[in-house]
Amino acid sequence: MMETIAKQRWIRLIPIAFITYSLAYLDRANYGFGAASGLAKDLHITPGTSSLLGSLFFLGYFFFQVPGASYAEKKSAKKLIFWSLILWGVLASATGLITNIKLLFVIRFALGVVESAVMPSMLVFLSHWFTKKERSRANTFLILGNPATVLWMTIVSGYLLNSFGWRMMFIAEGIPAVIWAFIWWKIVDDKPKDAKWLTDQEKRDFEAQLEKEQEGIAPVKNYGEAFRSKPVILLSAQYFLWSIGVYGFVMWLPSIIKAAPNMSIVETGWLSSVPYILSVVLMLVASYFSDKTLNRSAFVWPFLLIGAVAFYISYAIGTSHFWISFVLLVIAGGTMYAPYGPFFAIIPEILPRNVSGGAMALINSMGALGSFAGSYVVGYLNGATGGFSASYIFMAGSLFLSAILTVWAVNAAKKSKSQSDVKMGA
């Protein structure tokens, strides 16, 4: 019976989660294409201001992570995401209508605020529907909305920009989120107990299975206690550094590629999609083996280390060998995305349900700050140095440190669990 329920959950819920996060990612990441294709020129935006606009999203994204996760856990992820879909779709489309740079500042910041609750709310939602042995893969299919969206977005956005210009690209790519909000509301249930497609016995059996997983986790009273724990502090710092590399890469890859000789915007779109093909493959492989072995750390830090090395070698080769540098960027991009599923499976396994959502939100909010720093500093370094070498070094160093912190954080969690087991035994 449990096997039948498992199939139903994967078929019903994972495509919904994937599409929802995919639309969120579309409406935050297409700014890089707009900036590279006329938006900056039409609104008379300097390179420094463009970097700030590109990163301003993440400043807004930082503020409402924890309140969003708390609302999703205590009340309703379904309701929160419904209104978020509508608001971010409207804001994203409004980007294509503005003629004033001040309004663009407001929209980018507001878009970050609206989307800030989506990732932690979706992680909370999935934790209500998937067990420990499934969680890395469930998280991965959610976060696949990130590279998979960039994969098709780079191609679609390239053609929209080439045929209709940047304004129509923003308008067209914001509308699907509003439509999807009503589909989401119709077909999603917050928890198994709310699902009409499960029998009462199936609901009880599955809830009992989730409760059993909580038995081996030491109780934590509140968010304050959880946030002060060493593993959460280290994972927050780790995700901050990791996100510097990821979003510096995402925001500026189109500009890096377009700088190559005789490179059109359509060719830029196609080439920018290649790292995300590798990302999808590596994310699926890493999450599968992480769930199979229940080893999270081993499928996080090695990938980040490889990404750091690829960035550094790309820097060492220099800009004179574009295609070799491009292959290394593909490797860096792919390996940076690979560990997301295993990474977000760590917290629900070391903290109880009453605080795990908030802890994931805190970590994700620190990632937002890292994203802000990454997209802004990489843009600043590109403008200040007139090239991309300095930003490669910056991203490589950040990824290297994040790999070290991953090992430290997981070891701290194991030590904390051992101490807790000793106390409980005493």
Side-chain angles (χ1 to χ4, degrees):
M1 183 174 68
M2 292 304 291
E3 204 171 303
T4 304
I5 298 172
K7 287 180 181 177
Q8 286 179 303
R9 285 183 289 113
W10 283 96
I11 292 169
R12 280 177 172 269
L13 302 176
I14 289 301
I16 296 168
F18 172 83
I19 292 169
T20 302
Y21 193 64
S22 179
L23 291 171
Y25 203 79
L26 166 67
D27 289 333
R28 80 176 68 164
N30 58 5
Y31 176 80
F33 271 89
S37 309
L39 182 151
K41 182 180 177 182
D42 291 350
L43 298 182
H44 308 292
I45 301 171
T46 65
T49 304
S50 186
S51 297
L52 180 59
L53 281 164
S55 55
L56 197 59
F57 168 91
F58 300 107
L59 197 59
Y61 193 70
F62 170 76
F63 285 105
F64 293 98
Q65 298 266 333
V66 175
S70 179
Y71 184 92
E73 183 64 65
K74 295 175 181 177
K75 294 188 177 180
S76 174
K78 174 180 176 176
K79 187 181 294 185
L80 184 61
I81 292 169
F82 170 77
W83 286 110
S84 296
L85 278 159
I86 292 174
L87 289 171
W88 92 56
V90 170
L91 287 166
S93 290
T95 306
L97 302 174
I98 53 99
T99 56
N100 187 317
I101 192 172
K102 292 179 181 178
L103 287 175
L104 186 55
F105 273 99
V106 172
I107 286 173
R108 288 299 296 174
F109 181 77
L111 190 62
V113 170
V114 170
E115 286 198 25
S116 64
V118 176
M119 178 67 166
S121 297
M122 291 299 293
L123 289 170
V124 167
F125 173 76
L126 292 178
S127 73
H128 292 159
W129 281 99
F130 293 92
T131 64
K132 181 178 179 179
K133 291 182 179 180
E134 303 169 314
R135 206 160 284 142
S136 179
R137 283 169 293 157
N139 291 343
T140 291
F141 278 105
L142 167 68
I143 302 167
L144 270 177
N146 177 322
T149 299
V150 178
L151 175 60
W152 64 261
M153 180 198 76
T154 52
I155 297 168
V156 172
S157 294
Y159 280 107
L160 283 173
L161 287 165
N162 193 54
S163 301
F164 304 105
W166 64 270
R167 291 186 181 278
M168 186 54 67
M169 180 200 75
F170 283 114
I171 293 168
E173 291 180 350
I175 293 171
V178 178
I179 297 171
W180 182 252
F182 295 94
I183 300 172
W184 163 273
W185 185 261
K186 181 72 175 174
I187 57 181
V188 161
D189 299 296
D190 268 307
K191 295 179 181 179
K193 66 182 179 64
D194 303 319
K196 294 178 181 178
W197 48 274
L198 292 175
T199 67
D200 289 342
Q201 186 61 47
E202 288 171 338
K203 293 174 186 179
R204 287 192 293 269
D205 290 345
F206 186 66
E207 290 285 0
Q209 188 176 355
L210 291 178
E211 287 300 324
K212 189 175 181 180
E213 292 180 358
Q214 296 289 302
E215 291 175 2
I217 301 175
V220 177
K221 294 178 184 177
N222 51 44
Y223 283 161
E225 185 180 337
F227 294 172
R228 290 192 300 271
S229 69
K230 191 173 181 180
V232 171
I233 292 170
L234 289 172
L235 288 172
S236 295
Q238 186 267 17
Y239 200 50
F240 174 86
L241 292 164
W242 180 3
S243 297
I244 284 177
V246 170
Y247 282 93
F249 179 85
V250 169
M251 291 299 293
W252 293 101
L253 181 64
S255 297
I256 291 170
I257 292 174
K258 198 169 186 302
N262 304 315
M263 189 69 66
S264 72
I265 189 63
V266 173
E267 290 170 329
T268 299
W270 278 102
L271 288 177
S272 295
S273 71
V274 177
Y276 303 103
I277 298 173
L278 180 61
S279 297
V280 170
V281 174
L282 292 181
M283 286 177 76
L284 292 171
V285 170
S287 65
Y288 173 80
F289 285 104
S290 176
D291 275 347
K292 198 169 182 64
T293 62
L294 292 181
N295 187 332
R296 308 307 183 190
S297 175
F299 295 94
V300 178
W301 70 263
F303 286 108
L304 298 178
L305 188 61
I306 292 169
V309 171
F311 267 130
Y312 181 79
I313 296 175
S314 183
Y315 153 76
I317 288 174
T319 56
S320 56
H321 298 87
F322 172 78
W323 289 108
I324 297 175
S325 180
F326 175 72
V327 169
L328 289 165
L329 285 176
V330 169
I331 294 170
T335 53
M336 278 192 297
Y337 277 97
Y340 274 117
F343 178 78
F344 279 107
I346 293 172
I347 286 295
E349 293 175 10
I350 64 175
L351 290 175
R353 189 180 296 169
N354 65 307
V355 294
S356 62
M360 287 189 289
L362 177 68
I363 292 166
N364 201 48
S365 68
M366 294 308 295
L369 283 185
S371 303
F372 175 84
S375 55
Y376 181 73
V377 175
V378 168
Y380 173 80
L381 290 173
N382 292 345
T385 62
F388 302 105
S389 295
S391 56
Y392 286 7
I393 288 290
F394 176 63
M395 289 186 279
S398 298
L399 289 171
F400 179 75
L401 291 173
S402 72
I404 294 172
L405 283 175
T406 304
V407 179
W408 189 3
V410 172
N411 287 339
K414 289 177 181 176
K415 186 177 179 180
S416 177
K417 186 178 186 303
S418 298
Q419 291 172 345
S420 176
D421 289 345
V422 169
K423 288 179 182 177
M424 291 173 72

